[in-house]
Amino acid sequence: MTSRRPSERWAAGEVDDDVAIDVLVPTAGRAAELAVTLAGLAAQDDPSFRVIVSDQSDDGSGVLQPSTQAMVRVLRAQGREVRLVRHLPRRGLAEHRQSLLDRATAPAVLFLDDDVWLEPGQLQRLHDALRTLDCGFVGAAVQGLSYLDDERPEQQRPFELWDGEVVPERVRRGTAAFDRWPLHNAANLAHIARDVPIPERGWSAYKVAWVGGCVLYRRDALLAAGGFSFWEELPPMHSGEDVLAQWRVMERFGGAGILPSGAVHLEAPTTIPDRPVDAFDVVRA
């Protein structure tokens, strides 16, 4: 028995309000990609989760497209609560993420970008890893599958499994830990997963500089580290807010990437081409 209600019970009408994860999806101007992201969530069996989509599209079109609405209806028929909210004016990525965190109540929160498709079973893998490791966050770094034929051994060199307990780390520019960032380029994780034996539990934890696109936090750990409340110290046009939040969590509670990663980047053009400020260069980590 899974938390996902099967099709023969789609008309039952019940909604599971005792959820393990709040899936938080910030979006703006990506109707097609958002529909694919929601379709990936609809393929997840467990654990129980709620979806909160926060739309900053100028006209609200991101959540009104037929493909998006269809996936919302599927999720609701499966017994998932789906909340669609508008959040304007735009004050930057960090403020948008903080507004989503303020709406969350579940013990764990998954920040999922609006251009990421999850392999069936990925949510369970992340949740199991977070509970087992008891650290601040675990992430499934997104992969660009157009790069499957592009092997990059030099970028894979920093890969290092966690041997036992995940412990707090301090990551900054200039540290050895920062040099792990190329691991998540292209399809490096797919190539690494091909060569690294995965234990019976179904995943292995490895050391990261940070993880983009799909990160599951213990909500209490993220709140204790300040969440994204630093948004007021940043200009609206910025990036790196997820990096800064993760560094703060890692320094207190530890964090890890999970192999294999079933998170696929849709490789759509960015909706924020102008990013003159990295949050971690402006705000003290």
Side-chain angles (χ1 to χ4, degrees), residues 48-180:
S48 58
F49 62 89
R50 169 175 43 232
V51 183
I52 307 175
V53 179
S54 179
D55 184 19
Q56 289 194 322
S57 302
D58 292 335
D59 57 0
S61 60
V63 298
L64 297 177
Q65 292 296 315
S67 55
T68 301
Q69 286 293 310
M71 289 301 99
V72 169
R73 288 192 288 270
V74 168
L75 284 160
R76 287 172 174 165
Q78 292 173 339
R80 316 297 193 189
E81 180 184 354
V82 182
R83 300 180 188 172
L84 305 176
V85 300
R86 292 274 285 144
H87 185 69
L88 291 172
R90 298 187 188 183
R91 300 183 179 91
L93 296 167
E95 191 275 339
H96 199 185
R97 291 186 186 276
Q98 182 62 41
S99 72
L100 276 162
L101 181 59
D102 290 341
R103 295 176 183 273
T105 58
V109 293
L110 175 70
F111 273 96
L112 183 66
D113 284 0
D114 63 355
D115 59 348
V116 177
W117 176 85
L118 294 184
E119 174 188 33
Q122 182 63 46
L123 196 62
Q124 179 67 64
R125 186 183 295 152
L126 284 165
H127 190 243
D128 180 60
L130 187 67
R131 290 188 302 174
T132 301
L133 299 171
D134 195 29
C135 55
F137 72 83
V138 296
V142 298
Q143 303 172 81
L145 296 189
S146 68
Y147 295 91
L148 277 178
D149 294 329
D150 182 3
E151 293 263 5
R152 303 183 180 188
E154 187 60 34
Q155 293 187 356
Q156 298 170 29
R157 199 176 305 279
F159 180 79
E160 183 182 358
L161 291 170
W162 277 104
D163 184 13
E165 183 183 8
V166 173
V167 299
E169 290 187 284
R170 186 179 188 274
V171 183
R172 302 289 188 277
R173 284 193 190 273
T175 64
F178 186 88
D179 293 337
R180 300 169 187 155

